[in-house]
Amino acid sequence: MYFSIIIPIYNRPEEIKELLESLVLSEYKKDFEIVIIEDGSKITCKEVVNSFSNSLKIAYYFKENSGPGDSRNFGMKVAKGDYFIIYDSDCIIPSQYLLEVEKELNYKYVDCFGGPDKALDSFTDIQKAINFTMTSFLTTGGIRGGSEKVTKFQPRSFNMGISKRAFEISKGFGNIHPGEDPDLSIRLWNLGFETRLFPSAYVYHKRRIDWDKFSIQVYKFGKARPILNSWYPKYSKLTFFFPTVFIIGFSIALLLALFGFFIPLFGYVFYFFLILIVSSIQNKSFKIGFLSIIAVSKQFFAYGVGFLESYIKIKLLKKKPEVVFPELFFKSKL
């Protein structure tokens, strides 16, 4: 089996440097290649990539901007491997990663897998708080942390693998973003392919986002979900509604508190207290625990509002997703 590592990048040369530095330290001794796809960047990473040409087998391509999904497809089309591993450019890869992937594939082969993400000690406190929010079993991020069913896992494209055969039959990622990951997973299931979580194949996901960017990101996640539900109603879950129910319930709890009925509000206070305690223990920092309350609040409120807006327009008003949310769709340049 020959691995091709596919990495799309857009205006972030400093990220690719850290990622490639981590791959230099890989304990995997067999040949593998790295395919870098510059997605129409104004600030390119070509010089950074060239600096690793003596230590890694790298191919670099520059293309017109068309989004990460289309860039991943481009990379898989030109790659030489028979199994593709996809990373986001803001990931750092543990030295044993490829060994863990090979071990899992030899144990029980699957045409598509996904792995969890973790935080390094060197990450900022905000990055650690956001990582907690995106991975904790106490939030909707639990699926990223590995709590989703191992044998029915929807891989995320910051850390996933797909066989060449599955890519060629499925045609890879669609043009929705975000949401291209579950879209591909469901299409693979419908084509008869299996997906699986590889718990030990984790990456360190160093998200370069501030609070505002984080809110915008999860707001888009919320808008994408009702679109996916409309495309694949069989795979819609009640849990997808939870953030919206959460913020509506919080608004009602505040209103009831104005009339002297505090019990519902106490429920929310207890939940955020639980976030504080669990995150503080997990991260060994009360400050990160407090920041996690902010991160969880932003995740639930931004996602919930995005989901509600999209649900009304897509489900109730029957509007076309591409018309009401053109910002969620890239046009393929392939």
Side-chain angles (χ1 to χ4, degrees):
M1 190 177 304
Y2 184 61
F3 292 131
S4 291
I5 295 175
I6 312 298
I7 309 168
I9 186 165
Y10 180 71
N11 285 338
R12 291 180 173 180
E14 73 287 350
E15 289 185 350
I16 203 69
K17 184 175 186 293
E18 281 189 296
L19 195 161
L20 293 176
E21 284 174 342
S22 68
L23 287 172
V24 169
L25 302 175
S26 174
E27 298 172 21
Y28 188 74
K29 300 308 178 186
K30 298 178 183 178
D31 260 1
F32 65 92
E33 69 165 348
I34 301 167
V35 181
I36 309 288
I37 308 95
E38 191 90 65
D39 189 24
S41 300
K42 303 297 183 185
I43 308 170
T44 72
C45 67
K46 189 173 183 178
E47 287 188 13
V48 173
V49 171
N50 287 341
S51 69
F52 286 88
S53 60
N54 292 329
S55 50
L56 293 169
K57 184 182 291 185
I58 305 182
Y60 172 88
Y61 297 90
F62 184 95
K63 55 176 278 298
E64 187 178 349
N65 179 254
S66 59
D70 198 48
S71 296
R72 296 180 197 114
N73 291 343
F74 179 95
M76 289 186 281
K77 284 187 176 181
V78 300
K80 297 178 175 63
D82 51 17
Y83 210 102
F84 308 129
I85 295 176
I86 302 167
Y87 301 136
D88 278 355
S89 62
D90 58 356
C91 289
I92 297 172
I93 315 304
S95 60
Q96 77 280 4
Y97 178 93
L98 291 175
L99 291 175
E100 296 294 343
V101 170
E102 184 178 61
K103 185 192 304 181
E104 289 279 3
L105 290 174
N106 288 335
Y107 164 68
K108 184 181 178 183
Y109 183 85
V110 69
D111 282 285
C112 183
F113 75 87
D117 59 324
K118 298 185 178 183
L120 279 169
D121 290 340
S122 59
F123 287 10
T124 67
D125 289 344
I126 290 179
Q127 286 172 330
K128 290 176 182 177
I130 290 176
N131 181 268
F132 173 84
T133 301
M134 299 295 281
T135 60
S136 175
F137 68 94
L138 291 172
T139 72
T140 58
I143 49 178
R144 290 175 177 264
S147 64
E148 192 174 353
K149 290 182 180 179
V150 172
T151 55
K152 201 68 172 176
F153 185 68
Q154 292 186 359
R156 273 67 178 176
S157 52
F158 66 85
N159 176 18
M160 71 173 289
I162 181 172
S163 70
K164 181 176 182 179
R165 175 172 172 267
F167 165 68
E168 290 177 342
I169 293 175
S170 67
K171 309 302 181 185
F173 293 95
N175 65 339
I176 188 172
H177 177 73
E180 71 270 29
D181 309 340
D183 171 63
L184 176 57
S185 295
I186 294 170
R187 286 191 287 108
L188 287 171
W189 295 342
N190 290 340
L191 289 167
F193 292 102
E194 293 183 356
T195 61
R196 188 159 65 89
L197 170 67
F198 289 4
S200 56
Y202 60 86
V203 300
Y204 299 112
H205 200 178
K206 193 175 185 180
R207 299 174 177 87
R208 266 77 164 199
I209 49 180
D210 55 30
W211 290 129
D212 289 339
K213 290 178 180 177
F214 178 60
S215 294
I216 292 171
Q217 183 186 61
V218 291
Y219 171 64
K220 288 182 177 180
F221 290 160
K223 288 197 294 185
R225 180 53 69 179
I227 297 173
L228 296 170
N229 290 347
S230 69
W231 291 349
Y232 310 108
K234 176 182 175 182
Y235 297 100
S236 178
K237 300 177 182 178
L238 286 176
T239 51
F240 295 152
F241 291 81
F242 181 68
T244 300
V245 173
F246 184 92
I247 62 171
I248 292 174
F250 185 72
S251 300
I252 294 172
L254 287 176
L255 183 63
L256 291 174
L258 294 176
F259 292 93
F261 188 60
F262 293 97
I263 293 178
L265 188 60
F266 287 155
Y268 282 89
V269 172
F270 175 77
Y271 173 74
F272 285 116
F273 179 73
L274 192 62
I275 293 291
L276 173 66
I277 297 303
V278 173
S279 180
S280 296
I281 294 173
Q282 181 175 311
N283 291 288
K284 299 181 177 62
S285 168
F286 183 80
K287 179 183 177 183
I288 296 174
F290 176 76
L291 291 173
S292 295
I293 294 177
I294 299 174
V296 170
S297 299
K298 288 183 175 293
Q299 181 197 42
F300 274 73
F301 279 82
Y303 187 103
V305 169
F307 185 96
L308 182 61
E309 178 187 350
S310 183
Y311 183 84
I312 292 171
K313 291 179 178 179
I314 303 302
K315 181 70 174 179
L316 301 182
L317 299 181
K318 307 295 184 183
K319 294 184 178 291
K320 289 187 175 181
E322 296 86 350
V323 174
V324 290
F325 299 123
E327 70 278 10
L328 299 183
F329 294 89
F330 281 95
K331 292 184 178 179
S332 174
K333 304 295 183 182
L334 298 182

